Amino acid sequence: MARTAKPFKVRELQRTLYRAAKADPGRRFHALYDKVYRRDVLEWAWESVRANKGAAGIDRQTIADVEQYGIAKLLDELSADLKDGSYRPWPARRVFIPKPGSSERRPLAIPRIRDRVVQAALRTVIEPIFEADMLECSYGFRPRRSQHDALQVLIDEAWDGRRWVAESDVSNCFGAIPHDGLMSAIEERISDRHVLKLLRAMLRAGVMQDGVVTREVTGTPQGGVMTAPTQSRTSSSSGRFPGRRGGVSHEAWYSSV
């Protein structure tokens, strides 16, 4: 079953959503939720989660455990729960990893595999809409783009004679984004109340550390599948500005140069 996903249909869905969003920058999409629990989308999401591997969430269920449990059974359950509205994300498991070049530790939040699959399915559906709004100079958290591409642009600009680089960085980017502001940015493009409810539930699921669950009104836990598109939406919504005359502006993740 793990190989039965139909990538063509999923990609065609993404292309259709992207083209519709690109053609009408003011359009708000209201019929998306049924696509999140579509079987081919969920299979596509599972393959993405499986390929990324990753650790277990607070339920201690690993990728191998899911395969033993039955992938088809899991996806059937998720589809049914999403369809009837009974799906609820669990808190993510809080872990800390070393921060390169610093004595500090970086907090990560590891959702359950079930929740990662739902996040990946939701991302599959909404990412093309927000991608249509992204500026050409933005590279972080985008399909087929990376910080390395942004660095290459700077190298190319240097060869063209530019000599100055100004770098800025958003302090505590993952922890500082207000949920209300993020949802307002998302609602500029999405009006489907079921999708918005699901996104709010993901934001409010919180994290568990040492058996204690913490829920904040700001921040998107670093490590979840939905971290990237929510960060990108905040960037695209707040960063619609032209590059400085005579200069170039490029964004990579939560830094800009």
Side-chain angles (χ1 to χ4, degrees):
M1 175 327 224
R3 303 297 179 187
T4 62
K6 302 176 179 61
F8 175 79
K9 289 187 176 180
V10 176
R11 286 172 178 156
E12 184 59 33
L13 168 64
Q14 291 182 309
R15 284 192 290 266
T16 299
L17 291 169
Y18 175 85
R19 288 194 293 262
K22 198 71 173 178
D24 185 358
R27 177 175 176 178
R28 298 178 72 215
F29 291 77
H30 67 278
L32 298 172
Y33 189 68
D34 62 312
K35 298 167 181 61
V36 176
Y37 58 78
R38 238 173 61 174
R39 185 51 181 257
D40 58 338
V41 172
L42 285 172
E43 290 178 1
W44 175 276
W46 158 253
E47 289 294 341
S48 172
V49 170
R50 179 178 177 274
N52 288 334
K53 300 179 181 178
I58 63 174
D59 63 351
R60 301 181 182 276
Q61 188 177 49
T62 64
I63 294 290
D65 291 334
V66 170
E67 293 174 329
Q68 184 175 7
Y69 178 79
I71 300 166
K73 183 179 179 181
L74 176 79
L75 298 185
D76 285 343
E77 291 171 353
L78 288 177
S79 180
D81 289 347
L82 287 165
K83 189 173 183 178
D84 66 22
S86 62
Y87 169 78
R88 297 291 184 274
W90 286 20
R93 181 168 64 91
R94 170 70 80 206
V95 297
F96 293 88
I97 61 173
K99 193 172 183 179
S102 170
S103 60
E104 299 178 9
R105 294 191 301 164
R106 174 176 292 143
L108 293 182
I110 305 176
R112 295 185 306 164
I113 291 175
R114 288 173 177 258
D115 295 331
R116 298 209 293 268
V117 172
V118 174
Q119 289 179 12
L122 181 58
R123 174 179 179 172
T124 297
V125 174
I126 69 174
E127 187 174 58
I129 298 171
F130 298 139
E131 177 67 17
D133 293 338
M134 296 298 290
L135 298 173
E136 183 62 28
C137 65
S138 183
Y139 288 84
F141 284 145
R142 295 186 65 186
R144 296 174 296 281
R145 288 193 175 206
S146 71
Q147 296 90 324
H148 298 292
D149 297 316
L151 180 60
Q152 184 59 51
V153 172
L154 296 180
I155 294 172
D156 294 342
E157 294 293 338
W159 279 107
D160 286 342
R162 302 187 190 276
R163 290 294 177 263
W164 292 92
V165 175
E167 179 182 8
S168 63
D169 183 76
V170 179
S171 176
N172 190 26
C173 178
F174 290 97
I177 294 178
H179 292 174
D180 288 345
L182 174 58
M183 291 306 302
S184 293
I186 290 172
E187 287 169 13
E188 292 177 8
R189 275 305 213 167
I190 294 177
S191 59
D192 187 317
R193 62 186 181 89
H194 296 295
V195 167
L196 297 174
K197 180 180 178 181
L198 180 57
L199 278 166
R200 290 191 185 96
M202 290 176 176
L203 289 172
R204 294 170 180 168
V207 296
M208 177 180 286
Q209 180 179 348
D210 299 327
V212 178
V213 176
T214 303
R215 294 183 173 90
E216 304 288 350
V217 296
T218 61
T220 56
Q222 186 175 356
V225 177
M226 283 301 296
T227 300
T230 52
Q231 293 283 338
S232 296
R233 181 52 188 166
T234 305
S235 173
S236 67
S237 181
S238 62
R240 295 169 187 155
F241 55 87
R244 182 178 178 181
R245 186 165 61 184
V248 213
S249 174
H250 295 282
E251 297 175 357
W253 204 348
Y254 44 81
S255 300
S256 63
V257 293

